Amino acid sequence: MKSILILFFICFNAFSQIDSRELDVLDKLMQNPLTVVQLDLSEKDLHELPEQILNFKNLRGIDLSKNPNLDFYQTFEILKQLQYLDKVELEDCKIKVLPDNIGELKSLTQLILPGNEIESLPNGIRKLDNLTYLDLFENKIQSLDFKPEDLKKLADIRLCYNKFKVFPISLNNLQNLRKIIIWYNDIEYIPNGISDFKNLEELNLDNNNLSTIPEEISKLKSLKILSLRSNNLSAKTNKVIFKIQNLENLDLEKNLFTSIPSKLKNLKNIKRLNFSENPIKSIPKEIIQLKHLEQVGLGGLHNFNWEETFKILSQIPSLERVGMYRMEKQTMPNGFENLQQVKTFWLTFNLFNKAEKERIRKLVPNAKVDFY
C-alpha cells in the first residue's frame, strides 16, 4: 500500500508542474493506472473529460472544480463507468443545470457543488441512492422539494449562502439526515413539520432572520447540537429552546435575549453553552444544576453582573472552559479567583494592561489564560 501511495504522489506532483492546458500527464499516470485513487483536474479549462480516465479503475475521487466549459453530460457518461468512484467535486463551474445522467453515478457518496448558479435541486441528484454528503454551499436555491423516495442515505447537507427565506421543511423526507448546515440565508420562518426529523443530530441556522423557533422542536430527541447565532431571538417567545432535553451544544450568540430562562435547568446533557453578545445582565443560578457543563461563552456582555456570575460558575465542578472576550473592563472583577476548576480562559480583546494580565494569571495559577 505504501508503494502505491508513493507512486501516486510522484505522478501527481508531475501533473501539478505541467502547463494547465496540457493533459499528457494522464499518459504518465497510465504507466500504473491501478494505483491512481484520487485525481485533481481542477482549473484545466476542460471542455470534455479525457476517456483515458476509464483506465483508472480504482479511482475513488475526482476534482473537476473551476472548469466552467466542461461538457457535464459527456463527463458523467464516463464517470458512471468507474465502479469505485465515490466523490466528485464541481466547485465554481458556473453550473445552472446538471444533466440527469449524474444520477447514474451509483457509487457516489459525496457530491461537492459550492459556488455555482443552481436554483433548484437537479432531478438526477435525487437518484443517487448511496449519497451521504451533499454540499450546495453558495448557490441560488430558494426552496427544495424532496420526496420520501429521494436520497435515502443522505446524512449531511450544506445549504449555506443560498436564497432561502423559509426553512426547507421537505428535508424531513430524508429520514437518514443527521446534519443540516444552512447558515447565511434569510430564513424568517420554520414551518410545521420540524418534529419529523427523527434522526437529526445537528442543526445550524446561524446568520438568518429568525425571531421565533416552533414549539415542536422540543420533540427532536436526537438533536445534540443547535446553533442559532446572529438571529433575532429573545427569551419571551423562545423558551422552547430550553426544552430540547438531549442537547449537548447550544449557541445563542448575537441574539436579543435580555435574560436566560430558569428552564435552562432542563438541558440535563448540555456540555457547551454560548450566550455571548446578548443584552443579558446575569445568568440564572439554575445553571448550577447542569452537571455535564464544560464550556460557557460570555463574551461581549456589557453592564453584566460579573461578581454574581463568578459566584454561580464556581459551583459547577465540571466547568473547564470560559470565554469572556470584550468585557470592557480594565481590571478583572472580584470573584474570578474562585474559578479554580476552570482549565482554560479566553480573555481576548479586553482592556487589561500588562500588570493586570499578570495579576489575573496569578489568580488562577493552574489555568491557561489566553489574552490574544
Side-chain angles (χ1 to χ4, degrees), residues 51-82:
E51 293 189 8
Q52 299 100 301
I53 286 174
L54 291 175
N55 292 293
F56 306 142
K57 297 185 182 300
N58 292 317
L59 191 67
R60 299 189 66 89
I62 187 167
D63 188 349
L64 296 169
S65 299
K66 298 182 180 179
N67 284 295
N69 298 310
L70 188 60
D71 182 335
F72 290 105
Y73 180 85
Q74 181 266 350
T75 294
F76 299 147
E77 285 296 296
I78 291 176
L79 294 182
K80 72 181 184 182
Q81 301 176 58
L82 296 168

